[in-house]
Amino acid sequence: LRGSVERFNAYRADHPDEAVVLFEADLSFGRFPNVNFERADLRRARLEGSDLSGGRFDGALMDYANLRAARLPGATLRRASLVGGILYGADLRNARLDEAKLTRVDLCDGDLRGATFQGADLTETDLRWARYEVSALAGVDLSGARIRM
């Protein structure tokens, strides 16, 4: 994967039913723009500081993953599970997080401008100092969330 995202994505296209398991993998500070991690198991993975711009994470299991200061602008994380994840200072501009499970996620100081959250669960999520449009959170479950307006 570190050698060529294009080869990894081509392999995924040729083997769409093959599981991608990167449980507890350390991919910190890597460059993986446009990577296809759809339905991948990235639980407890370390992706801190990685460039994941335009990446596809739809349906991925990312519980307790560390994405601190990761760059994910334009990424899709529809129906992804990021329970307990660390996204402190992450760049999620224009990301699609519709129906994502973001319970107890640390989004402090994150950039969420232009991101969508339709049907997402942000229960007990920490949004202090995050940059976002309030209208993007309309209809989202924010029970117990920490918000600074």
Short mmCIF file of all heavy atoms in Angstrom, two decimals, residues 27-30 32 46-53 57 62 65-73 75 86-93 109-111:
data_model
loop_
_atom_site.label_atom_id
_atom_site.label_comp_id
_atom_site.label_asym_id
_atom_site.label_seq_id
_atom_site.Cartn_x
_atom_site.Cartn_y
_atom_site.Cartn_z
N LEU A 27 -0.15 3.16 9.81
CA LEU A 27 0.00 3.83 8.52
C LEU A 27 0.19 5.34 8.73
O LEU A 27 -0.11 6.14 7.86
CB LEU A 27 -1.24 3.57 7.66
CG LEU A 27 -1.53 2.10 7.34
CD1 LEU A 27 -2.89 1.94 6.68
CD2 LEU A 27 -0.43 1.51 6.47
N SER A 28 0.72 5.69 9.89
CA SER A 28 0.90 7.09 10.26
C SER A 28 1.76 7.84 9.25
O SER A 28 2.74 7.30 8.73
CB SER A 28 1.57 7.20 11.63
OG SER A 28 0.77 6.61 12.62
N PHE A 29 1.34 9.07 8.98
CA PHE A 29 2.06 10.01 8.14
C PHE A 29 2.28 9.51 6.71
O PHE A 29 3.18 9.96 6.02
CB PHE A 29 3.39 10.42 8.79
CG PHE A 29 3.18 10.99 10.17
CD1 PHE A 29 3.39 10.21 11.29
CD2 PHE A 29 2.71 12.29 10.33
CE1 PHE A 29 3.16 10.72 12.57
CE2 PHE A 29 2.48 12.80 11.61
CZ PHE A 29 2.70 12.02 12.72
N GLY A 30 1.43 8.58 6.27
CA GLY A 30 1.53 8.07 4.91
C GLY A 30 0.79 8.96 3.92
O GLY A 30 -0.03 9.80 4.29
N PHE A 32 -1.79 8.56 1.03
CA PHE A 32 -2.73 7.62 0.43
C PHE A 32 -3.91 8.35 -0.22
O PHE A 32 -5.06 8.01 0.03
CB PHE A 32 -3.25 6.63 1.48
CG PHE A 32 -2.17 5.99 2.31
CD1 PHE A 32 -2.03 6.30 3.65
CD2 PHE A 32 -1.28 5.10 1.74
CE1 PHE A 32 -1.03 5.71 4.42
CE2 PHE A 32 -0.28 4.50 2.50
CZ PHE A 32 -0.16 4.81 3.83
N ARG A 46 -3.56 3.23 13.07
CA ARG A 46 -2.91 4.52 13.29
C ARG A 46 -2.72 5.18 11.93
O ARG A 46 -1.92 4.73 11.12
CB ARG A 46 -1.57 4.33 13.99
CG ARG A 46 -1.76 3.81 15.41
CD ARG A 46 -0.51 3.87 16.22
NE ARG A 46 -0.04 5.25 16.24
CZ ARG A 46 1.22 5.57 16.47
NH1 ARG A 46 2.11 4.66 16.70
NH2 ARG A 46 1.59 6.84 16.48
N LEU A 47 -3.50 6.22 11.70
CA LEU A 47 -3.46 6.97 10.45
C LEU A 47 -3.15 8.44 10.73
O LEU A 47 -3.41 9.31 9.92
CB LEU A 47 -4.79 6.83 9.71
CG LEU A 47 -5.11 5.42 9.22
CD1 LEU A 47 -6.60 5.21 9.07
CD2 LEU A 47 -4.39 5.15 7.92
N GLU A 48 -2.54 8.67 11.86
CA GLU A 48 -2.23 10.02 12.31
C GLU A 48 -1.39 10.76 11.26
O GLU A 48 -0.40 10.23 10.76
CB GLU A 48 -1.46 9.94 13.63
CG GLU A 48 -1.08 11.27 14.20
CD GLU A 48 -0.38 11.13 15.54
OE1 GLU A 48 -0.08 10.00 15.96
OE2 GLU A 48 -0.14 12.17 16.15
N GLY A 49 -1.83 11.97 10.91
CA GLY A 49 -1.07 12.81 9.99
C GLY A 49 -1.04 12.33 8.55
O GLY A 49 -0.33 12.89 7.73
N SER A 50 -1.83 11.33 8.21
CA SER A 50 -1.82 10.77 6.85
C SER A 50 -2.64 11.62 5.89
O SER A 50 -3.61 12.25 6.27
CB SER A 50 -2.37 9.35 6.84
OG SER A 50 -1.49 8.47 7.50
N ASP A 51 -2.22 11.60 4.63
CA ASP A 51 -2.98 12.24 3.56
C ASP A 51 -3.93 11.20 2.98
O ASP A 51 -3.50 10.28 2.28
CB ASP A 51 -2.05 12.77 2.47
CG ASP A 51 -2.80 13.42 1.32
OD1 ASP A 51 -4.04 13.52 1.38
OD2 ASP A 51 -2.13 13.82 0.35
N LEU A 52 -5.21 11.34 3.29
CA LEU A 52 -6.25 10.42 2.84
C LEU A 52 -7.28 11.18 2.01
O LEU A 52 -8.43 10.76 1.89
CB LEU A 52 -6.91 9.75 4.05
CG LEU A 52 -5.95 8.97 4.96
CD1 LEU A 52 -6.56 8.76 6.34
CD2 LEU A 52 -5.58 7.65 4.33
N SER A 53 -6.86 12.28 1.43
CA SER A 53 -7.78 13.14 0.68
C SER A 53 -8.45 12.36 -0.45
O SER A 53 -7.81 11.58 -1.14
CB SER A 53 -7.05 14.37 0.14
OG SER A 53 -5.91 13.99 -0.61
N PHE A 57 -14.10 5.41 2.29
CA PHE A 57 -14.17 4.63 3.52
C PHE A 57 -15.60 4.16 3.79
O PHE A 57 -15.94 3.82 4.90
CB PHE A 57 -13.69 5.47 4.70
CG PHE A 57 -12.26 5.91 4.62
CD1 PHE A 57 -11.90 7.06 3.94
CD2 PHE A 57 -11.26 5.16 5.21
CE1 PHE A 57 -10.59 7.46 3.86
CE2 PHE A 57 -9.94 5.55 5.15
CZ PHE A 57 -9.59 6.71 4.46
N MET A 62 -13.83 1.53 11.66
CA MET A 62 -12.69 2.36 12.07
C MET A 62 -12.76 2.70 13.55
O MET A 62 -12.21 3.70 13.99
CB MET A 62 -12.65 3.63 11.21
CG MET A 62 -12.56 3.34 9.73
SD MET A 62 -12.72 4.81 8.70
CE MET A 62 -11.15 5.60 9.01
N ALA A 65 -9.81 4.18 15.87
CA ALA A 65 -8.69 4.53 14.99
C ALA A 65 -8.16 5.91 15.36
O ALA A 65 -8.90 6.78 15.81
CB ALA A 65 -9.13 4.50 13.53
N ASN A 66 -6.87 6.11 15.15
CA ASN A 66 -6.24 7.40 15.41
C ASN A 66 -6.01 8.10 14.08
O ASN A 66 -5.15 7.71 13.30
CB ASN A 66 -4.91 7.21 16.14
CG ASN A 66 -4.24 8.53 16.47
OD1 ASN A 66 -4.63 9.59 16.02
ND2 ASN A 66 -3.18 8.45 17.27
N LEU A 67 -6.82 9.13 13.83
CA LEU A 67 -6.70 9.95 12.62
C LEU A 67 -6.37 11.40 12.99
O LEU A 67 -6.74 12.33 12.31
CB LEU A 67 -8.00 9.89 11.81
CG LEU A 67 -8.25 8.54 11.16
CD1 LEU A 67 -9.49 7.88 11.71
CD2 LEU A 67 -8.33 8.68 9.67
N ARG A 68 -5.64 11.57 14.07
CA ARG A 68 -5.28 12.90 14.53
C ARG A 68 -4.52 13.63 13.43
O ARG A 68 -3.56 13.10 12.86
CB ARG A 68 -4.41 12.78 15.78
CG ARG A 68 -4.03 14.11 16.37
CD ARG A 68 -3.07 13.92 17.55
NE ARG A 68 -2.81 15.18 18.18
CZ ARG A 68 -3.31 15.54 19.36
NH1 ARG A 68 -4.06 14.71 20.03
NH2 ARG A 68 -3.03 16.72 19.85
N ALA A 69 -5.00 14.83 13.10
CA ALA A 69 -4.39 15.70 12.09
C ALA A 69 -4.31 15.05 10.71
O ALA A 69 -3.52 15.46 9.87
CB ALA A 69 -3.00 16.17 12.54
N ALA A 70 -5.15 14.05 10.46
CA ALA A 70 -5.19 13.42 9.13
C ALA A 70 -5.89 14.37 8.15
O ALA A 70 -6.73 15.17 8.54
CB ALA A 70 -5.91 12.08 9.19
N ARG A 71 -5.54 14.25 6.90
CA ARG A 71 -6.15 15.07 5.85
C ARG A 71 -7.11 14.19 5.06
O ARG A 71 -6.68 13.28 4.36
CB ARG A 71 -5.06 15.67 4.97
CG ARG A 71 -4.23 16.71 5.72
CD ARG A 71 -3.10 17.29 4.92
NE ARG A 71 -2.15 16.32 4.38
CZ ARG A 71 -1.21 15.67 5.06
NH1 ARG A 71 -1.10 15.88 6.36
NH2 ARG A 71 -0.40 14.83 4.48
N LEU A 72 -8.42 14.50 5.19
CA LEU A 72 -9.48 13.75 4.52
C LEU A 72 -10.43 14.63 3.71
O LEU A 72 -11.61 14.31 3.60
CB LEU A 72 -10.29 12.97 5.56
CG LEU A 72 -9.54 11.89 6.31
CD1 LEU A 72 -9.61 12.10 7.79
CD2 LEU A 72 -10.10 10.53 5.95
N PRO A 73 -9.97 15.74 3.13
CA PRO A 73 -10.92 16.57 2.39
C PRO A 73 -11.50 15.79 1.21
O PRO A 73 -10.78 15.09 0.50
CB PRO A 73 -10.09 17.76 1.92
CG PRO A 73 -8.69 17.28 1.92
CD PRO A 73 -8.61 16.26 3.03
N ALA A 75 -13.27 13.17 1.27
CA ALA A 75 -13.38 11.72 1.50
C ALA A 75 -14.84 11.33 1.74
O ALA A 75 -15.65 12.16 2.15
CB ALA A 75 -12.55 11.32 2.72
N ILE A 86 -10.15 9.08 17.19
CA ILE A 86 -9.47 10.34 17.45
C ILE A 86 -9.27 11.04 16.11
O ILE A 86 -8.50 10.58 15.27
CB ILE A 86 -8.10 10.11 18.13
CG1 ILE A 86 -8.29 9.38 19.45
CG2 ILE A 86 -7.38 11.44 18.33
CD1 ILE A 86 -6.98 8.85 20.03
N LEU A 87 -9.98 12.15 15.93
CA LEU A 87 -9.86 12.95 14.72
C LEU A 87 -9.53 14.40 15.09
O LEU A 87 -9.90 15.33 14.41
CB LEU A 87 -11.15 12.88 13.89
CG LEU A 87 -11.31 11.56 13.15
CD1 LEU A 87 -12.26 10.64 13.88
CD2 LEU A 87 -11.77 11.79 11.74
N TYR A 88 -8.82 14.55 16.19
CA TYR A 88 -8.43 15.87 16.67
C TYR A 88 -7.63 16.58 15.59
O TYR A 88 -6.63 16.05 15.10
CB TYR A 88 -7.59 15.72 17.95
CG TYR A 88 -7.20 17.02 18.58
CD1 TYR A 88 -7.94 17.54 19.63
CD2 TYR A 88 -6.11 17.75 18.13
CE1 TYR A 88 -7.61 18.74 20.22
CE2 TYR A 88 -5.77 18.95 18.71
CZ TYR A 88 -6.52 19.45 19.75
OH TYR A 88 -6.19 20.65 20.32
N GLY A 89 -8.09 17.75 15.18
CA GLY A 89 -7.37 18.54 14.19
C GLY A 89 -7.42 17.98 12.78
O GLY A 89 -6.68 18.42 11.91
N ALA A 90 -8.32 17.03 12.52
CA ALA A 90 -8.41 16.43 11.18
C ALA A 90 -9.08 17.39 10.20
O ALA A 90 -9.93 18.19 10.57
CB ALA A 90 -9.20 15.12 11.24
N ASP A 91 -8.68 17.30 8.96
CA ASP A 91 -9.27 18.10 7.88
C ASP A 91 -10.31 17.24 7.17
O ASP A 91 -9.97 16.32 6.43
CB ASP A 91 -8.17 18.52 6.90
CG ASP A 91 -8.70 19.36 5.74
OD1 ASP A 91 -9.93 19.54 5.62
OD2 ASP A 91 -7.87 19.83 4.94
N LEU A 92 -11.58 17.51 7.44
CA LEU A 92 -12.69 16.77 6.86
C LEU A 92 -13.55 17.68 5.98
O LEU A 92 -14.74 17.45 5.79
CB LEU A 92 -13.55 16.15 7.96
CG LEU A 92 -12.91 14.98 8.69
CD1 LEU A 92 -13.50 14.80 10.06
CD2 LEU A 92 -13.06 13.72 7.88
N ARG A 93 -12.93 18.73 5.42
CA ARG A 93 -13.70 19.63 4.56
C ARG A 93 -14.33 18.86 3.40
O ARG A 93 -13.68 18.04 2.75
CB ARG A 93 -12.80 20.73 3.99
CG ARG A 93 -12.41 21.78 5.02
CD ARG A 93 -11.39 22.74 4.49
NE ARG A 93 -10.16 21.98 4.20
CZ ARG A 93 -9.33 22.27 3.20
NH1 ARG A 93 -9.57 23.27 2.39
NH2 ARG A 93 -8.25 21.54 3.02
N ASP A 109 -11.02 20.83 17.25
CA ASP A 109 -10.14 21.58 16.36
C ASP A 109 -10.15 21.05 14.92
O ASP A 109 -9.28 21.37 14.13
CB ASP A 109 -8.71 21.59 16.91
CG ASP A 109 -7.92 22.78 16.40
OD1 ASP A 109 -8.53 23.83 16.14
OD2 ASP A 109 -6.69 22.65 16.24
N GLY A 110 -11.13 20.20 14.58
CA GLY A 110 -11.23 19.68 13.22
C GLY A 110 -11.87 20.68 12.28
O GLY A 110 -12.61 21.58 12.70
N ASP A 111 -11.61 20.55 11.01
CA ASP A 111 -12.21 21.41 10.00
C ASP A 111 -13.28 20.59 9.27
O ASP A 111 -12.96 19.71 8.47
CB ASP A 111 -11.16 21.92 9.02
CG ASP A 111 -11.69 23.04 8.13
OD1 ASP A 111 -12.92 23.23 8.07
OD2 ASP A 111 -10.87 23.72 7.50
#
